[in-house]
Structures are given as structure tokens and as C-alpha cells.
Amino acid sequence: MADDMTAVLRWADETEGGPAVVLLDQTRLPAHEEERWCRDVPALVGAIRELAVRGAPVLGLAGAYGVALAAARGDGVEAAAGELAEARPTAVNLRHGVERARAAWRAARPGDAAAAALGAARELHAEDARASAAMAGHGLELLTGLLPARAAGWRLLTHCNTGALVSGGGGTALAVVRAAHTAGRLERLWVDETRPLLQGARLTTWEAARWGLPHTLLADNAAGSLFAAGQVDAVLIGADRVSADGSVANKVGSYPLAVLARHHGVPFVVVAPVSTVDPDTARGADIIIEQRDAEEVTGTGDGRHAPAGVAVHNPAFDVTPPDLVSALVTERGTVGPMDARRLAAVCDGPRATELREADGMMKA
């Protein structure tokens, strides 16, 4: 798997069936490395909802390429953009990617509009690869300042999956872990299995093995015993949305880790690009949390492990308040302690202006 994510998400042109967005189907990992060809926007929306492609930054890329796909096919771009943007409501990067390509399509002359949308998607892909590298460097610098030197290296705990599968480059939190390993500072990566869909067990361990990271898988509810035994030096997670006050929406199970980390005096670090920060969402309580199918918890068919008809609470994400976040690492630098003023200072700039303008176009 290349760090440029060529194998994870790519554009295929001049094919017999027309253009397509081609994904490494993450629902099939780790047993099978299979591509999923999305030749129209409904197919891509289905892949997004089924988590064949997932992770905040790469959802932004999928959204941008989806707009380009609609434009290349001569389909209704406006309708396609709306369908893509709503495919997963918590992940703000998806909307940003859609807006980026849609704005380019709108601004171009009719004959050039499809190429302009594809160019915007490719530009976003390259930007995300650079952001991954920058976050890895900033994160390693932060950990070096936060954590005491240990001869054996650091013991880092992560939740869900935040590697190259979720971005245009090496990832977010897992890119920082890899940088620590490359620098000879990683003793152990603790990997939460991440119920109910096991993104940690299926995906993070798959990437960790490929990168040669020393890692150990654990059940989510075993993390507390690691903290109690003094076996965790820092927690590193990603984010699907960060509100203006610094609250962090991430894969469900992240908030309990933040509480454990605070109780045990362990840094809790979030790694995410500035595109994940949503200045239009004022507080964590305003973040829309996606509720997913009950069968993800109860099982289906012969694999059912709960009584039929049981009531199920299955939020895809939870929200960690800013006072439990030690720092947010972005490609532009680190925010810590986390608050609205510091967050705005790092995220303000040309990118923030661009996103606000694109958002205005989306709502027009």
C-alpha cells in the first residue's frame, strides 16, 4: 500500500465502462484486498455508507472525486453533490470535498467544467498527502516535548483507524505513530479493537503489520487496565469533526479514553487536518451524530449474538469536550490547550476563507 494512497482511492479514466472512482474495499480487509469500482454517484454513495471507504480526510477526497464523476458522466452535478454531502452527516470533510469540486465545476466554462472538477479533486488529494506528512512531523515534535524519554520508547494507544486508509497520504494519528517508530521512539502501539465494526482489529493492525510497527490488539474495555498498570504514555486519535469550541467528534469509544487519560495524567492527543475543523458548528452539542444499523451490534443470521428485536443504541461517534483534549495536531501546527481562540488562530487563513466561500455556494 503506497503512502500516496494510489491503491486505496484512485480515478480511472478511459475505461470500457467509462470513468470510475476505484476504492480499496475496506469492508473486505484484512482477509481480501479487493477493489470496488464506482461508475456513478449512487454506487459511490453506497460505498461511503457501507464503509467501503471511510475516515474523515479520504471521505473528502471521495466527495470531490464523486462530483468529478457526475460531471464526467454528464449527470446532474447539483443533485449528485447534495447526495454525496449527506451520505455521512458527521464527517465534515465529506462536505468540504464536495464543495471544493463543485465550486470548481461552477466557476468553469461549460466545456471545461468536468475537467475543472477533476482537477480540484486531484489538487485536494495532493494537499492531503502533504498535510499527512506535516502532521506526522508536528505530532512527533509534540510528543517529544510532552513525554519523558524512555530507553525502550513510548507506549501509545490508538482507537479506530487513522493510517493511510483514511487519507491522501500516510494518515493522521497513525502517521504520528509511524514517525515515532522511524525515529526509534516507539516501544508499543496498543490498538483498540473498536467495536462494533472492529476498524482497529481489522484495519489498524493490518497497516501496523505492513509498516513493521510493534503492536498489540486489545478489547476496547481492556484499555482501563493498561492505564492502571502505567502502560500507556499517550493516546492518539483522529477526528471526524471538530467544533469551533474545540469539541472533538470521533469514533465512538474515544470519549471514555479521554476520561481515562485525564484520570491517569496521560496526554490525550487528536491529530486531524484543519479541514476537519467546522467553524459553523459552535459547540460539541451541535454536532450531528450518525446513528447506524442495529445489526452492526446484534449480528445477522447465524452470527446473531443478541435476541431478535432488542432495542439498540448504535452511535457511530461520540464527542470529547475540549477540556479533555491535551492538544490538536494539524498540518499548520499544534493547538494546546484546546480552546476556541487558539483553534481559530491556527485554522484561520486562506483555507478557512476558501471553505467559508464554498459553503456559501453550497447553500445558495
Side-chain angles (χ1 to χ4, degrees):
M1 180 176 59
D3 281 355
D4 65 5
M5 272 222 355
T6 301
V8 177
L9 182 150
R10 62 187 176 89
W11 175 266
D13 209 351
E14 303 298 330
T15 65
E16 185 175 335
V21 178
V22 186
L23 314 170
L24 176 63
D25 189 343
Q26 296 187 36
T27 66
R28 303 288 288 159
L29 293 173
H32 305 283
E33 296 180 27
E34 297 179 359
E35 288 187 330
R36 181 162 172 169
W37 286 64
C38 301
R39 298 190 182 276
D40 56 28
V41 167
L44 182 57
V45 168
I48 291 170
R49 288 178 174 158
E50 294 166 26
L51 307 187
V53 59
R54 43 144 298 280
V58 79
L59 284 177
L61 304 183
Y65 281 116
V67 171
L69 182 62
R73 286 173 47 86
D75 295 337
V77 171
E78 300 289 354
E83 188 177 359
L84 284 160
E86 296 302 318
R88 295 201 68 195
T90 305
V92 69
N93 297 69
L94 177 57
R95 176 169 58 86
H96 288 168
V98 168
E99 291 164 357
R100 176 83 167 258
R102 182 174 180 263
W105 175 81
R106 277 185 164 186
R109 293 177 300 182
D112 302 327
L118 180 58
R122 286 175 166 157
E123 183 180 58
L124 183 63
H125 202 145
E127 287 176 7
D128 198 60
R130 292 192 294 270
S132 288
M135 286 185 287
H138 292 314
L140 179 59
E141 182 180 7
L142 173 71
L143 292 180
T144 302
L146 278 179
L147 303 182
R150 297 184 72 251
W154 301 320
R155 297 149 309 173
L156 307 176
L157 187 147
T158 193
H159 191 69
C160 199
N161 172 253
T162 57
L165 289 171
V166 308
S167 96
T172 57
L174 203 57
V176 176
V177 175
R178 190 181 183 189
H181 175 64
T182 301
R185 297 177 184 175
L186 179 67
E187 176 184 345
R188 180 63 41 185
L189 173 64
W190 300 111
V191 180
D192 270 359
E193 63 178 353
T194 317
R195 284 280 299 154
L197 295 179
L198 305 176
Q199 292 97 328
R202 295 187 303 105
L203 306 178
T204 298
T205 58
W206 182 74
E207 290 194 290
R210 287 191 161 215
W211 289 344
L213 307 181
H215 62 284
T216 299
L217 178 66
L218 63 143
D220 293 1
N221 55 6
S225 62
L226 283 179
F227 282 97
Q231 293 295 308
V232 180
D233 296 310
V235 179
L236 275 75
I237 66 165
D240 284 79
R241 185 182 298 237
V242 180
S243 60
D245 70 343
S247 298
V248 175
N250 191 55
K251 181 56 57 184
V252 66
S254 299
Y255 173 54
L257 289 178
V259 174
L260 279 168
R262 173 57 56 88
H263 178 74
H264 291 280
V266 170
F268 183 85
V269 178
V270 178
V271 186
V274 294
S275 58
T276 305
V277 179
D278 182 12
D280 293 331
T281 300
R283 306 169 304 145
D286 299 328
I287 297 175
I288 298 171
I289 299 298
E290 175 187 353
Q291 293 285 334
R292 295 189 59 82
D293 196 286
E295 290 185 345
E296 293 180 352
V297 176
T298 62
T300 59
D302 293 339
R304 180 174 293 279
H305 41 259
V310 65
V312 172
H313 175 59
N314 186 23
F317 309 95
D318 57 25
V319 178
T320 299
D323 62 319
L324 293 181
V325 178
S326 303
L328 168 68
V329 176
T330 78
E331 71 272 33
R332 292 185 181 170
T334 299
V335 182
M338 184 81 108
D339 64 27
R341 181 183 60 80
R342 292 184 179 92
L343 186 60
V346 169
C347 295
D348 196 19
R351 175 63 175 153
T353 300
E354 171 192 301
L355 290 174
R356 284 193 292 268
E357 290 174 350
D359 187 50
M361 294 183 70
M362 189 72 178
K363 294 173 182 176

